[in-house]
Amino acid sequence: MTLRDPSAYGTQVIKPDDFDTFWGELLECAEKIPLNASFSLDTMRSTEQVEVFEVHYDSLNDVRVAGWYCLPRIRPRPLPGRVFYPGYISEPTLPKDYAEQGYACFGAAPRGKLRSNLQFNPGYPGLLTHNLVDRQSYAYQGFYVDAIRVIDFLTEQPEVDSERIGIQGSSQGGALTLVAAALRPQVKAASAGAPYLTGVVDAIDLTRTYPYEEINDYLRLHPQNREAMIKTWNYYDCINFADRIQCPIIVYIGLQDDVCPPETAYPLMDRIRSPEKKLYAYDGHGHDANHHVHDEVVDTFFDDHLKT
Amino acid sequence: MKPEDFDSYWQRLEQELIRVEQAPECTEIHLRSTPEGKLFGLHLTSLGGYRIFVYYCVPHGKGPFPVIYRLPNYGSVVHIPPFEERCNHIAVALCHRGQRLSDQPFAASYPGLLTQGIESPHTYIYREIAADCLRVMDFLLTREEVDQGRISLVGGDLALWTAAMRSQAFALYYAPSLFYKSLHKASSSSHYPLEEFNDFLRAFPESKGQVETTLKYFEPINFASSVAMSTMMVEESEGDGDDLAMAFGREIDRCTTYHSSFRDGVRQAQWLADKLETGEPLLPEHWS
């Protein structure tokens, strides 16, 4: 169906010399902040099979972040963990059905999402361009750290087997999956759909669809800030995290995706170091990335890597 | 089954709404305007004096323009209307009460909104949300830049309700959503948002009868016969909406989703262009 060859586009991202130092210092700073996790059983959302907890934990800049933690009531031995990262406009899911299948599941709500927006709330639209010209205070700095601290949270839980944690998401959830897989090597397996925040500088030229259009809106009003925007994004682009991903990973895209252009997924795959990586490119699909069919591939992938 | 007082229930809402002045306040959001058109943040007053926010996009050039009014999905965030639609339509996207930008003083919970006040049709939050949807139509009907003969509605059950109660719209592109056979569908699902119904009934089993009664006032089957405009209904699977299609009491266009945002998006754009007579639709580059 598709006539263009998105793999030939040649998306390029510059990796700053101090990229690793920048993130190393940030992670060091984050590690000094205890999680101070709190749990509140949500009896209304819990079922006979699954307990649902609303969880809060501390993150960068002392922002208190929320999430949904779902556990099977019967858990004779440590459980494999599964993290679900949300899309840009989505609220975190309550993955009760996967808890029923024997996973300890976490639906993440990084800062700015409902329940995590008391101290930080740039809004939607807004998040993508919040402090865009400054890598030290850019919105996604804390957002990324919130996402990776979910792994730390699961690792601390006695009911979770910290050697068997899988992470997943689509769109922004795909981006957070990539970042967390890169910065938390204990992640056992990862699945990223239609990855957002990847090849961003090219993506904004390739699409007029929101959320990327937020950056185009911003640059129309502040054209003088284009270089500063690119400089910031070089520290946040998922392609620059990819060479740190070592775990088995699957990525799936739609070749007619107008939200996260498929062109940007190919250099991402090239940079991923994992010996076990696979790209599923679906012709005839847009930002859905054929999840209707592909979800089964994802489930099998995690069952194979986390349950055996 | 349709409640006996179904019509009077909604007439009462109309009577209350008509007493509320729209008090429109339209402010250009320069950050979001483009060379192709202006984007306004529109505030209107809806039922109970609640101020709602609407993205209101008007292309440059000589109107009046056809309208694509997108009714919101279930979730806290509403996207700005697509760039391609904004180029040659008045593109409208409502943030109903509780959604971001319309979340003062009421911020909806997700999960939670779907069962808020569900014990009675008079307290159910979707009564007020329906009023928000109608309020935007009322605004459109006052505007000179709007081609009054070419207003289209796009969305789920909220779009159907609006079509049923605002016959001035010309076309409806409709995908049945959460209110179509709600409890029946919820009983075989553990996925949110339908799972919210299950959560509620597990917590308050004694309310089942009340919940069933409330939802009858919002069941699409009970609205369909009031929709007279050109209609396309997108079904989850073939035959999935047979009883709903029958309820329209006339032939409507029907199709089954491709489960592809690309192919479904192209079909929607082409159907709307055909009905609104706007020629070949402008599509995102990756869809062309």
Side-chain angles (χ1 to χ4, degrees), chain B residues 24-186:
Chain B
E25 189 181 36
C26 216
T27 309
E28 184 177 355
I29 305 174
H30 293 280
L31 176 64
R32 309 288 172 206
S33 289
T34 68
E36 290 80 14
K38 291 184 178 180
L39 190 149
F40 298 91
L42 166 66
H43 287 91
L44 297 169
T45 303
S46 181
L47 203 66
Y50 198 100
R51 285 298 262 179
I52 53 172
F53 178 88
V54 183
Y55 289 115
Y56 187 67
C57 315
V58 183
H60 291 310
K62 194 172 173 335
F65 300 100
V67 175
I68 298 179
Y69 169 20
R70 289 188 175 273
L71 284 298
N73 293 325
Y74 191 74
S76 66
V77 179
V78 172
H79 262 318
I80 294 171
F83 166 79
E84 291 78 12
E85 283 178 9
R86 290 161 57 184
C87 289
N88 51 6
H89 302 82
I90 289 180
V92 183
L94 160 70
C95 304
H96 66 59
R97 68 187 63 201
Q99 294 184 307
R100 284 178 190 259
L101 301 174
S102 295
D103 56 356
Q104 298 289 332
F106 166 60
S109 295
Y110 295 92
L113 183 72
L114 197 54
T115 58
Q116 184 152 346
I118 199 168
E119 301 89 338
S120 159
H122 301 289
T123 57
Y124 192 33
I125 188 67
Y126 273 90
R127 178 178 184 269
E128 294 171 341
I129 288 172
D132 298 345
C133 300
L134 300 176
R135 182 93 300 188
V136 176
M137 268 301 289
D138 296 340
F139 171 79
L140 293 173
L141 295 172
T142 67
R143 303 297 291 185
E144 281 182 7
E145 68 272 19
V146 166
D147 183 338
Q148 299 294 336
R150 291 193 294 166
I151 299 175
S152 64
L153 307 170
V154 178
D157 299 330
L158 277 61
L160 181 81
W161 303 343
T162 307
M165 292 188 272
R166 290 293 179 272
S167 59
Q168 299 93 331
F170 179 72
L172 167 68
Y173 197 94
Y174 167 55
S177 47
L178 298 172
F179 295 91
Y180 174 46
K181 296 197 275 198
S182 311
L183 294 184
H184 173 71
K185 294 203 167 178

Side-chain angles (χ1 to χ4, degrees), chain B residues 231-235 239-242 245-246 252-256:
Chain B
T231 301
M232 167 66 96
M233 185 168 84
V234 186
E235 295 163 52
D240 180 56
D242 279 350
M246 286 269 289
I252 58 166
D253 293 338
R254 295 173 68 180
C255 64
T256 305

